[in-house]
Amino acid sequence: MSDLEAFRVETRAWLEANCPPEMREPVRDDDDACWGGRNFKFKNPAQKLWLETMAARGWTVPDWPKAYGGGGLSAEETKILRSEMAKLGCRPPLMSFGIWMLGPALLKFGTEEQKLHYLPQIARGEIRWCQGYSEPGSGSDLVSLQTFGEDKGDHWVVNGQKIWTSYADKADWIFCLVRTDKTNKYQGISFLLFDMTTPGVSTKPILLISGSSPFCETFFDNVKVPKHQIVGELNRGWDVAKYLLGHEREMISGGGLGEGLASLGAAFPDAAANEPVLRAEMAMFDVETIAFRAHSERFMDEWKTGRAHPAYSNLMKYVGTELNKKRHELVMAAGGSDALEWESARSKGGAKPRTWLRTKANSIEGGTSEVMLNVVAKRILDMPGA
């Protein structure tokens, strides 16, 4: 038996022994997931136990170094772990912007002190983060942001506004782009970390057409941020931001994989049998999903070994989000008028239409589809700019 096969056997046995039955059910929605953080209220004892058990083994971030709270697994071992979790239906023990976005940026740009301070807390689910990028006049064109940090010697005083800050009203800390030099558009931005309880920080939820929303407006009024909470070099925060955005787009593109979902043809056998046009659309979609899954595997291998084209995450984000939108449009079509039920016990509170409407944001958040296509055209296809 090879070392990897032995690892697979051991991992399967460990998961079977340690994953509570309640954590082998699919996550129903954001409120059903474990987000961690100092104010998070666990839904049941099993959710807390699963997080603590996985964190103790370093398996909330299996491929991070052990010194920073990770499991120290190789890329191949990490794949095996995720594969075995999927086979048993194990939930992710923790949903976290810290894991998906900030952690990789800290591993690359953070000081040793920052890594040792923040990463283990992220791995244990003790800090919930939000992202302070977009502003009312700076969405896809982030380099035009106006939130300003005035140099006060040993600290900055930050003033401005962010928008579309997901879960800002629930987050403990924010990773935030702040202009620290008004004379240089691209090299006048710094990447700062600060506590959301710092005096001068306030949030206001934004409601969406789906009836619920993770989004907030976030305001900074003379917020004092110590100098040591900068990540990377002064005025070179755009380098950190671009690297982090690659991981954010990789995360968002994952919606195209439809993890935990059967093929549409198998999920809606009556519609597939009785409606030829819809059956053909479902079949084409299932083929596209299989192709995207295979492409995603290759991309992740190349990304983790530094061989992926820097703009490839833009392509994956575009394709993944378009696939996710199409999936839910087909689900609605297969469900007929019943799928439109908004509030009823049978519809589980309108879960299908609310999720369908939520997917409309997929091609906007993390960079619009139009921006993604522009980047692909210029940087991958080497086409001339407008």
Side-chain angles (χ1 to χ4, degrees):
M1 182 182 294
S2 68
D3 289 346
L4 286 178
E5 190 54 35
F7 176 78
R8 182 184 295 279
V9 172
E10 178 192 335
T11 298
R12 185 182 305 156
W14 188 88
L15 290 171
E16 286 176 341
N18 288 280
C19 183
E22 299 92 328
M23 294 296 102
R24 301 187 192 190
E25 297 289 331
V27 175
R28 292 184 292 274
D29 51 41
D30 282 352
D31 290 337
D32 191 39
C34 177
W35 287 92
R38 57 193 174 211
N39 298 314
F40 183 75
K41 291 182 172 53
F42 291 96
K43 299 297 176 295
N44 50 57
Q47 189 182 55
K48 184 172 186 289
L49 174 64
W50 183 225
L51 171 59
E52 291 175 346
T53 303
M54 288 289 275
R57 201 173 175 90
W59 281 6
T60 54
V61 282
D63 54 350
W64 286 11
K66 289 185 177 180
Y68 307 136
L73 300 187
S74 66
E76 292 78 11
E77 290 169 333
T78 301
K79 274 188 184 179
I80 289 173
L81 170 62
R82 288 176 176 153
S83 169
E84 292 303 316
M85 288 179 67
K87 287 177 183 174
L88 286 176
C90 303
R91 292 185 179 192
L94 181 64
M95 309 281 272
S96 167
F97 290 174
I99 291 175
W100 300 327
M101 294 189 277
L102 178 62
L106 281 174
L107 283 168
K108 184 173 180 64
F109 294 96
T111 64
E112 187 62 16
E113 290 75 15
Q114 289 171 336
K115 293 176 186 176
L116 290 171
H117 180 72
Y118 293 112
L119 293 176
Q121 295 183 70
I122 292 172
R124 295 191 297 266
E126 295 171 355
I127 307 179
R128 186 169 182 175
W129 294 84
C130 64
Q131 179 189 54
Y133 274 26
S134 296
E135 298 184 2
S138 304
S140 297
D141 182 22
L142 275 175
V143 291
S144 65
L145 64 85
Q146 296 299 311
T147 292
F148 184 63
E150 184 179 1
D151 192 335
K152 293 290 187 180
D154 64 343
H155 66 276
W156 287 281
V157 172
V158 178
N159 283 282
Q161 178 188 352
K162 298 291 178 180
I163 197 166
W164 310 120
T165 37
S166 301
Y167 306 108
D169 55 341
K170 297 179 175 64
D172 304 313
W173 278 63
I174 186 170
F175 46 93
C176 191
L177 291 180
V178 175
R179 184 162 297 287
T180 43
D181 181 352
K182 293 183 177 179
T183 65
N184 192 321
K185 185 175 181 180
Y186 288 93
Q187 295 187 2
I189 297 171
S190 296
F191 190 101
L192 307 183
L193 311 175
F194 53 93
D195 196 313
M196 291 292 281
T197 62
T198 307
V201 180
S202 59
T203 62
K204 179 182 177 184
I206 300 171
L207 289 181
L208 296 182
I209 190 173
S210 62
S212 62
S213 167
F215 300 121
C216 294
E217 293 178 278
T218 305
F219 303 92
F220 308 129
D221 182 13
N222 291 320
V223 178
K224 184 177 177 180
V225 180
K227 286 282 183 72
H228 66 82
Q229 288 172 200
I230 186 174
V231 177
E233 298 178 33
L234 176 65
N235 295 328
R236 298 301 300 266
W238 189 235
D239 298 337
V240 185
K242 285 191 295 183
Y243 183 79
L244 186 148
L245 277 171
H247 285 272
E248 181 184 17
R249 288 165 183 162
E250 168 201 325
M251 173 195 72
I252 295 173
S253 75
L257 299 172
E259 293 292 356
L261 297 177
S263 74
L264 286 182
F268 298 96
D270 292 342
N274 300 325
E275 300 182 47
V277 173
L278 186 55
R279 180 174 66 225
E281 291 178 348
M282 286 179 168
M284 181 60 71
F285 176 84
D286 285 339
V287 170
E288 290 174 353
T289 302
I290 292 169
F292 180 70
R293 186 171 293 127
H295 206 66
S296 180
E297 282 281 323
R298 191 186 74 173
F299 166 67
M300 290 303 298
D301 286 345
E302 294 179 348
W303 180 265
K304 290 183 183 302
T305 55
R307 293 181 290 119
H309 189 291
Y312 223 76
S313 61
N314 301 74
L315 187 151
M316 297 299 293
K317 196 268 182 182
Y318 171 77
V319 177
T321 55
E322 293 300 320
L323 270 180
N324 198 38
K325 288 197 299 182
K326 190 173 180 180
R327 171 182 293 107
H328 288 279
E329 286 166 3
L330 289 171
V331 167
M332 295 299 291
S337 57
D338 287 352
L340 294 172
E341 283 188 7
W342 192 251
E343 291 182 354
S344 69
R346 185 177 70 160
S347 70
K348 298 180 179 177
K352 283 183 182 174
R354 290 176 193 276
T355 303
W356 166 58
L357 289 171
R358 174 64 183 81
T359 64
K360 304 297 181 185
N362 289 168
S363 49
I364 300 173
E365 58 200 351
T368 66
S369 287
E370 290 78 8
V371 169
M372 297 300 106
L373 290 174
N374 275 340
V375 174
V376 170
K378 290 180 182 177
R379 300 187 60 193
I380 296 179
L381 302 178
D382 201 24
M383 297 175 70

